[in-house]
Amino acid sequence: MGKTHYFKLTLLIFTFTTLALIFIFNVGSPETDRSIPTPRGPPPVCPSTISDQAITPLKNTKHFLVSAFMDQRRNGFDIRIIGMFRRDSIQPLHCLFCCAGRLGETTPTTVLVHSDHFGFPFGPTDVMCRIPQDCDPTHVTLLTQPRADNKSNYTWIPIRNKKTSGKHEEKMNFTVCISSLFGDYNNVLQFAQTLEMYRLLGVNRVVIYNTSCGPDLDRLLQSYAQEGFVEIVLWPIDKHFKTTRGWHFSQYGGEISYYGQNTKLNECIYRSMENSRYVLLHDIDQIIMPYQHSNLMSLMDTLQQQHPNVGVFSIESHIFSNKCFDVSGRFKLPQWSSVTGVNILEHIYREEPNRQEFHPYKMIIQPRMVEQTSVHVVLKTSGAQYTVPPGVCRIIHICSCGMKPIEGLHEDKRLWDFHEELIPNVNKALKKVGMLTEN
């Protein structure tokens, strides 16, 4: 056999072998081929940093962000960002969205500083903006420039309430918003009694904004949080602001009024908008008490039937001085003697409000009908407002603020109507955290 013929034969064998191997690898193992994923574009680019704080500084500004909510009740807007802004430093801002893992376009904002800022440099603020087209937003932040820089490390806040338009099945009837817990407040007994009183009245959840409190109260709060009745929002406002307990800047100084109470009340309304039919806005030592109904639901069913267009019900506050004690001593219970705090069942003497002067009211609201609130009045609402007669419902405010002698007070034993259920429930809560004596 000649060399030429041998070379041609070898080349032919090599060619057939190569083609056979290619066929085997590409056709012979289809299962293996299907297991290899097809590339689907670049991986998600956002978020890189998500704020897990209730108060988030906004870069390149003097402002702070709190939370963001879907809110399509106002024409032309989709998102409401709640914040605390320096009022003399408002500048143009732009919403930047994370659209399901990709960086979206920016949209311009409208900045709305609330009218009730009491003269302080910082005030509660809403930032409104639209969602860009073809964007399913999960997170948002604010920029001082109209365009995003792909190289920047943005701090995002999640968008809540992604279904504020249209009907939604309500999960709860009543949420209580406790906006101010700070200092060394350690009034354990009154707080346990108040929470259990809420339960008996039909409250489903209590949201508490906690800057600081005493160790015993903290233990009780954690217990209620574990069972789901209390939601604690950590509020370290003293790390960002010169805080004050006062209401007017000219008298008290500081940077923001009363630990940012107005901001917290607004945040709580939006936090509750999708899961609570009514929101109660009042203080930690107050109970909104029906006097003609056995619980809050019966009260509100009656009021709503009589006033179907009302979204804000104002409730008059009545002081029960904790300096004046029931002389019978009926509820001076020995098992509570070692528990820190005030026993609300011992204080049955009520002051009549001086209605010739400013007298504070607190509120029961329908959150979907409220845009902005202050402490005692709603600032923007789509519904009517109604002042509930005190004979129907009033606030029991048990505090050390009473000034009148006992001879000028009214006896009011409404709390005693609940004592058969209230006392064992309080005992159970205190025993759970080891604060109840055996006897």
Side-chain angles (χ1 to χ4, degrees):
M1 182 183 294
K3 290 184 179 179
T4 302
H5 183 72
Y6 177 81
F7 177 79
K8 287 180 179 180
L9 183 61
T10 303
L11 183 61
L12 188 62
I13 293 170
F14 177 79
T15 302
F16 275 108
T17 303
T18 302
L19 290 172
L21 289 171
I22 291 172
F23 179 82
I24 289 169
F25 278 108
N26 285 284
V27 181
S29 304
E31 295 80 9
T32 305
D33 292 343
R34 287 194 208 103
S35 69
I36 301 173
T38 304
R40 297 182 181 274
V45 296
C46 61
S48 52
T49 305
I50 301 175
S51 175
D52 60 354
Q53 301 294 310
I55 302 172
T56 303
L58 180 60
K59 291 180 181 178
N60 304 317
T61 73
K62 297 179 180 180
H63 311 318
F64 297 83
L65 306 182
V66 177
S67 49
F69 299 91
M70 186 80 82
D71 183 11
Q72 297 173 318
R73 297 172 299 167
R74 262 195 163 208
N75 243 351
F77 296 108
D78 300 307
I79 298 294
R80 182 184 300 263
I81 299 172
I82 293 176
M84 293 173 285
F85 278 30
R86 176 95 186 186
R87 295 188 299 111
D88 62 3
S89 301
I90 304 296
Q91 70 254 66
L93 294 170
H94 308 267
C95 281
L96 175 64
F97 293 91
C98 179
C99 306
R102 66 176 178 83
L103 205 60
E105 299 295 322
T106 62
T107 59
T109 67
T110 295
V111 179
L112 306 171
V113 180
H114 290 212
S115 57
D116 266 15
H117 47 68
F118 307 105
F120 286 88
F122 286 85
T125 307
D126 294 335
V127 181
M128 311 292 294
C129 61
R130 296 198 69 165
I131 299 170
Q133 289 186 344
D134 302 320
C135 174
D136 178 18
T138 57
H139 299 77
V140 67
T141 191
L142 293 175
L143 306 181
T144 55
Q145 308 167 57
R147 297 191 181 279
D149 178 1
N150 290 325
K151 296 179 182 178
S152 294
N153 181 19
Y154 299 110
T155 299
W156 302 92
I157 55 176
I159 298 172
R160 304 168 182 257
N161 293 0
K162 295 191 71 176
K163 293 181 181 178
T164 56
S165 59
K167 295 182 179 179
H168 183 81
E169 182 182 351
E170 305 291 354
K171 296 181 181 178
M172 291 183 281
N173 286 321
F174 296 98
T175 293
V176 172
C177 293
I178 302 297
S179 58
S180 293
L181 182 57
F182 55 81
D184 298 321
Y185 191 87
N186 203 38
N187 192 345
V188 174
L189 181 56
Q190 181 170 352
F191 193 69
Q193 291 172 328
T194 301
L195 288 183
E196 295 303 332
M197 207 48 248
Y198 292 158
R199 260 207 254 253
L200 293 177
L201 292 173
V203 170
N204 307 100
R205 180 184 64 159
V206 180
V207 181
I208 298 176
Y209 292 78
N210 185 11
T211 299
S212 63
C213 64
D216 296 333
L217 183 57
D218 184 63
R219 189 153 42 120
L220 184 68
L221 277 175
Q222 297 302 327
S223 175
Y224 277 110
Q226 286 172 11
E227 68 177 74
F229 185 55
V230 166
E231 179 181 353
I232 302 171
V233 180
L234 298 179
W235 188 255
I237 193 168
D238 47 356
K239 294 182 180 178
H240 302 286
F241 295 90
K242 293 177 183 176
T243 55
T244 175
R245 301 187 184 193
W247 276 107
H248 295 285
F249 176 69
S250 58
Q251 289 179 273
Y252 297 96
E255 292 183 312
I256 196 164
S257 68
Y258 207 66
Y259 290 81
Q261 184 177 22
N262 275 13
T263 305
K264 290 178 281 185
L265 289 173
N266 283 274
E267 207 275 347
C268 194
I269 289 174
Y270 283 88
R271 179 182 289 261
S272 308
M273 193 167 287
E274 283 300 310
N275 54 33
S276 192
R277 185 177 173 188
Y278 295 102
V279 172
L280 284 66
L281 305 174
H282 55 78
D283 292 336
I284 199 169
D285 52 3
Q286 297 176 332
I287 299 170
I288 292 182
M289 175 62 74
Y291 274 70
Q292 296 180 4
H293 302 79
S294 60
N295 54 61
L296 288 167
M297 197 71 256
S298 298
L299 168 71
M300 295 312 299
D301 284 346
T302 300
L303 290 176
Q304 211 73 78
Q305 187 176 10
Q306 295 170 348
H307 310 280
N309 299 320
V310 170
V312 178
F313 296 88
S314 296
I315 315 296
E316 190 175 64
S317 181
H318 288 242
I319 290 174
F320 290 65
S321 174
N322 63 21
K323 300 171 185 176
C324 299
F325 291 80
D326 163 43
V327 294
S328 74
R330 179 182 176 186
F331 293 107
K332 187 177 177 65
L333 304 181
Q335 69 265 32
W336 292 345
S337 61
S338 61
V339 182
T340 303
V342 173
N343 178 359
I344 64 175
L345 293 175
E346 291 189 276
H347 305 290
I348 60 172
Y349 299 105
R350 174 176 60 84
E351 287 190 11
E352 190 66 24
N354 183 356
R355 297 181 180 88
Q356 304 305 313
E357 301 176 354
F358 170 75
H359 184 64
Y361 287 76
K362 296 299 174 68
M363 295 170 288
I364 301 175
I365 67 163
Q366 295 191 69
R368 292 171 184 268
M369 299 176 75
V370 172
E371 276 193 62
Q372 292 180 354
T373 192
S374 186
V375 177
H376 304 296
V377 294
V378 164
L379 304 177
K380 291 183 180 180
T381 176
S382 60
Q385 303 185 44
Y386 175 70
T387 300
V388 180
V392 176
C393 180
R394 66 175 67 115
I395 292 176
I396 295 177
H397 185 189
I398 298 174
C399 61
S400 58
C401 40
M403 300 297 292
K404 295 180 181 178
I406 194 169
E407 294 78 19
L409 305 178
H410 302 278
E411 192 176 87
D412 186 333
K413 298 179 179 179
R414 176 58 172 150
L415 285 171
W416 288 12
D417 294 338
F418 299 87
H419 80 274
E420 289 185 357
E421 292 180 274
L422 179 63
I423 291 172
N425 291 353
V426 171
N427 288 342
K428 182 180 178 182
L430 294 174
K431 188 174 182 180
K432 189 176 177 181
V433 292
M435 296 184 190
L436 193 68
T437 58
E438 288 302 318
N439 296 324

